[in-house]
Amino acid sequence: MTIHLTFNNFGNSDAVTEHIQEMFEELLKITDNKYRFHVRLNKEHDQHYHVGITCNFLSKHLVTASDGSNLYKVVGRAIESIKTQVLRKARKLRCVS
């Protein structure tokens, strides 16, 4: 897979890694698994998380971030946001071509 994960201030979790890979399946199909996504997971306070996702998609730098107390929900919001950006960019490029 072309997903690079970085865990900051908490240990790497197999359950979180598997959850992220499952949530990325649709996005990887949309992009034909051609683009690398970097996911940064930060634990900021006792139970507060920040998730950032970056991707260079068709020469455009896409970035999204999400915060909250439930890591799985924060990851889900960030992935949905980056998926929306990828779909918009792909749609825009199809209209121009």
Side-chain angles (χ1 to χ4, degrees), residues 29-74:
K29 287 178 187 174
I30 291 168
T31 62
D32 293 327
N33 207 8
K34 292 180 183 177
Y35 302 95
R36 173 165 277 172
F37 293 89
H38 185 95
V39 181
R40 292 175 327 279
L41 303 122
N42 301 308
K43 185 174 183 182
E44 296 182 337
H45 301 293
D46 289 337
Q47 291 298 318
H48 189 81
Y49 298 93
H50 174 83
V51 174
I53 302 174
T54 59
C55 174
N56 283 325
F57 179 70
L58 299 173
S59 301
K60 297 294 180 184
H61 189 68
L62 305 178
V63 179
T64 190
S66 184
D67 294 293
S69 59
N70 183 314
L71 179 60
Y72 291 97
K73 288 182 181 180
V74 173

